[in-house]
């Protein structure tokens, strides 16, 4: 395939904005990047995709999400509104995940995948929970991802909040899926080992997870999203959360820690020393009223901080904008969270993290040899857009509704806003038909 008439935003380091250049896509990769006239002359018979003057850029990457949260939209929480994050878990997320059957797991994933394609998010790192439908839940999600054409990293959250058997089933699901993924090697799907959070994990279960995880596979866990995670860890072990995870061998360059809001200086150092990835989800943190992660400080320490949605709509530029604004108001200093910092998280760190799971070429950049995960953006600025000022055009001018085409591994998933792999209407209809049942099973727990 030859992509012509696009203005390329490459997300190279340094970034480049290229006009008059075309891309040859072959075997899922960017095979050639060069002057359009030359490439058109050299490849007269190759299929062409005309970007018609739109921006062509790498697809967005979401470093932490929960497909299973789809049925929370519009759901009424019975009784008084939850007053803090522990109550949000107890009144919203835990009864909701217990209400999911396997068909709801599938429907949740499908609506989230539609959302991702529509909004130009091409790689998603998911963290799944469905305590009453654990076994093969990751296969169910993987099948939906496979059909969608997107790229995803999957795991099941191990927790002791559903008893010993629930914890064991979670461990088994992770191990089974990781091994099957290693064996069959679907190229757009990868696996990691999920853990809920220190506050719902016993010492025995953490140890069992450490023993069960296959070599060179890391973990994906929520850390210090609220102070309660620290209180619980100190009470159980006398250690703060990050110290506790470090002692269990959970940290490291393959492990993803979501949030890290209430970590102290030594915990931040431990994250840096161990090369652990941290993900920042400012919309979720604001919604839950849990505080602001000191991600600029973490990055100054050398912690690779990424950006995720935590199950909010897969609109990564919304997350960029929220991060950009939140840290300014929190610090009462408009110089904080520079556009460059947002790009460090949302582009370069996200690409480096996701790239670990998908070898065979760099991810999140337009360069020969890179994975061909691309989006077209119908944006026509009234001021100059340059390689240097792209972050502020995105923060103040881009909207995900401007995404008109989504391509993953060289396959077009959406063209002119028309879905080519998924049937949006059928998926939405099916999900909506199942919603009353999910909400009924949710409400039955109160
Ligand atoms: Zn989360």
């Amino acid at each position: 395939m030859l992509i012509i008439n696009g203005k390329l935003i490459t997300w190279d380091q340094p970034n480049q904005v290229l006009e008059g250049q075309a891309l040859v896509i072959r075997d899922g990769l960017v095979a050639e990047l060069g002057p359009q006239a030359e490439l058109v002359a050299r490849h007269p018979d190759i299929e062409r995709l005309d970007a018609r003057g739109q921006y062509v850029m790498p697809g967005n990457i979401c470093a932490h999400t929960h497909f299973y949260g789809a049925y929370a939209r519009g759901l009424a929480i019975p009784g008084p509104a939850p007053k803090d994050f522990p109550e949000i878990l107890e009144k919203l997320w835990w009864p909701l995940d217990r209400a999911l059957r396997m068909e709801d797991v599938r429907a949740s994933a499908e609506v989230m995948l539609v959302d991702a394609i529509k909004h130009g998010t091409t790689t998603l790192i998911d963290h799944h929970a469905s305590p009453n439908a654990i076994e093969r839940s990751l296969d169910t999600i993987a099948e939906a991802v496979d059909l969608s054409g997107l790229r995803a990293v999957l795991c099941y959250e191990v927790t002791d909040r559903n008893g010993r058997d629930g914890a064991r089933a979670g461990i088994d699901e992770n191990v089974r899926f990781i091994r099957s993924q290693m064996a069959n090697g679907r190229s757009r799907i990868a696996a990691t080992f999920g853990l809920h959070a220190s506050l719902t994990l016993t010492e025995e279960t953490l140890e069992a997870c450490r023993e069960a995880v296959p070599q060179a596979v890391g973990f994906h866990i929520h850390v210090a999203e609220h102070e309660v995670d620290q209180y619980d860890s100190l009470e159980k072990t006398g250690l703060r959360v990050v110290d506790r995870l470090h002692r269990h061998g959970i940290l490291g360059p393959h492990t993803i820690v979501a949030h890290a809001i209430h970590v102290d200086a030594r915990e931040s150092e431990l994250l840096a020393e161990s090369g652990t990835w941290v993900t920042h989800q400012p919309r979720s943190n604001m919604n839950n009223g849990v505080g602001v992660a000191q991600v600029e400080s973490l990055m100054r320490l050398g912690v690779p901080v990424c950006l995720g949605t935590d199950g909010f709509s897969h609109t990564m530029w919304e997350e960029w904008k929220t991060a950009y604004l939140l840290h300014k108001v929190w610090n009462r200093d408009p110089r904080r969270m520079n556009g460059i910092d947002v790009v460090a998280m949302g582009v370069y760190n996200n690409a480096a993290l996701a790239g670990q799971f998908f070898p065979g070429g760099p991810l999140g950049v337009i360069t020969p040899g890179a994975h061909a995960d691309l989006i077209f953006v119908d944006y026509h600025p009234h001021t100059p857009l340059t390689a240097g000022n792209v972050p502020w055009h995105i923060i103040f001018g881009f909207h995900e509704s401007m995404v008109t085409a989504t391509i993953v591994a060289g396959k077009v998933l959406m063209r002119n806003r028309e879905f080519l792999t998924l049937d949006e209407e059928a998926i939405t209809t099916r999900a909506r038909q199942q919603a009353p049942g999910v909400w009924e099973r949710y409400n039955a727990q109160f």
Side-chain angles (χ1 to χ4, degrees):
M1 184 167 65
L2 184 64
I3 297 179
I4 55 169
N5 300 329
K7 291 179 275 190
L8 309 180
I9 298 171
T10 66
W11 286 138
D12 256 319
Q13 301 207 54
N15 186 32
Q16 298 183 76
V17 176
L18 304 173
E19 298 199 25
Q21 305 275 302
L23 293 172
V24 177
I25 309 296
R26 195 182 302 125
D27 300 328
L29 303 175
V30 176
E32 294 176 60
L33 162 62
Q36 180 163 318
E38 212 174 276
L39 290 186
V40 166
R42 198 135 46 81
H43 301 282
D45 301 324
I46 199 170
E47 178 199 352
R48 292 183 195 174
L49 188 58
D50 189 343
R52 293 177 286 109
Q54 298 176 91
Y55 286 96
V56 175
M57 60 197 294
N60 285 317
I61 294 166
C62 170
H64 175 77
T65 187
H66 302 280
F67 295 159
Y68 79 83
Y71 281 109
R73 191 172 297 178
L75 175 66
I77 300 173
K83 70 174 186 308
D84 55 22
F85 183 62
E87 285 197 9
I88 292 172
L89 291 176
E90 278 159 27
K91 292 184 166 188
L92 172 59
W93 295 113
W94 294 350
L96 180 62
D97 68 27
R98 283 192 291 262
L100 299 174
R101 294 176 176 170
M102 200 59 85
E103 62 266 31
D104 311 314
V105 171
R106 184 178 184 94
S108 298
E110 285 175 340
V111 296
M112 291 296 208
L113 295 166
V114 163
D115 178 74
I117 292 174
K118 186 181 280 186
H119 297 132
T121 299
T122 49
T123 298
L124 304 117
I125 302 183
D126 187 57
H127 196 274
H128 176 64
S130 53
N132 289 314
I134 298 177
E135 200 186 340
R136 304 196 72 80
S137 57
L138 296 180
D139 293 273
T140 300
I141 298 169
E143 279 166 28
V145 172
D146 210 17
L147 283 175
S148 76
L150 288 165
R151 219 179 268 286
V153 182
L154 308 179
C155 71
Y156 188 88
E157 64 143 70
V158 176
T159 177
D160 283 298
R161 68 185 159 87
N162 302 297
R164 271 188 111 76
D165 290 349
R168 190 68 246 175
I171 293 171
D172 292 347
E173 179 61 7
N174 278 303
V175 172
R176 191 194 57 70
F177 185 72
I178 291 165
R179 293 209 184 284
S180 78
Q181 195 46 42
M182 282 170 164
N184 73 23
R186 279 177 291 207
S187 63
R188 288 179 291 95
I189 296 169
T192 182
F193 196 112
L195 300 170
H196 173 240
S198 171
L199 82 157
T200 69
L201 288 160
T202 61
E203 289 290 280
E204 299 71 50
T205 299
L206 273 181
E207 208 38 59
C209 292
R210 178 68 258 174
E211 277 167 23
V213 70
Q215 222 184 348
V217 175
F219 295 90
H220 184 180
I221 180 171
H222 296 96
V223 165
E225 186 169 0
H226 183 274
E227 294 92 329
V228 72
D229 206 17
Q230 293 292 2
Y231 303 154
D232 171 89
S233 180
L234 286 164
E235 199 178 303
K236 276 200 286 224
T237 65
L239 295 173
R240 292 180 67 84
V241 173
V242 175
D243 296 73
R244 182 183 184 214
L245 297 179
H246 182 53
R247 195 183 66 184
H248 282 282
I250 302 290
L251 305 180
H254 299 299
T255 287
I256 305 165
V257 153
H259 302 299
I261 298 169
H262 301 282
V263 292
D264 73 5
R266 178 57 192 145
E267 289 179 291
S268 303
E269 282 179 345
L270 274 174
L271 292 169
E273 287 165 11
S274 60
T276 305
W277 301 85
V278 167
T279 71
H280 183 41
Q281 290 74 225
R283 285 187 295 180
S284 162
N285 298 160
M286 291 167 73
N287 186 46
N288 290 330
V290 288
V292 180
Q294 296 308 301
V295 292
E296 291 166 294
S297 296
L298 287 170
M299 285 195 280
R300 275 165 51 74
L301 270 172
V303 177
V305 180
C306 303
L307 214 53
T309 62
D310 215 7
F312 268 65
S313 180
H314 292 100
T315 44
M316 286 307 297
W317 296 324
E318 291 292 316
E319 211 67 50
W320 285 41
K321 294 169 194 182
T322 309
Y324 186 79
L325 299 174
L326 169 62
H327 292 267
K328 289 174 169 53
V329 70
W330 178 259
N331 293 293
R332 299 205 60 237
D333 183 347
R335 294 166 296 188
R336 298 294 292 268
M337 191 52 76
N338 189 292
I340 305 291
D341 299 324
V342 179
V343 169
M345 295 190 290
V347 176
Y348 298 122
N349 290 344
N350 276 14
L353 169 60
Q356 283 201 343
F357 295 99
F358 302 103
L363 204 63
V365 61
I366 298 181
T367 190
H371 290 291
D373 294 10
L374 304 165
I375 56 176
F376 291 3
V377 185
D378 195 15
Y379 177 64
H380 303 278
H382 59 269
T383 55
L385 182 152
T386 65
N389 74 9
V390 174
W392 293 271
H393 271 280
I394 292 179
I395 289 164
F396 295 105
F398 276 41
H399 297 284
E400 289 81 359
S401 58
M402 296 171 178
V403 175
T404 67
T406 301
I407 299 166
V408 174
K411 183 172 178 180
V412 186
L413 313 185
M414 181 175 78
R415 186 176 52 216
N416 298 327
R417 294 196 174 88
E418 189 193 331
F419 283 87
L420 301 180
T421 52
L422 297 182
D423 183 341
E424 182 184 15
E425 200 183 328
I427 284 170
T428 310
T429 303
R430 193 158 56 236
R432 209 168 44 233
Q433 280 166 351
Q434 289 170 208
V438 176
W439 286 9
E440 219 169 89
R441 289 190 292 281
Y442 164 82
N443 277 302
Q445 297 171 63
F446 292 91

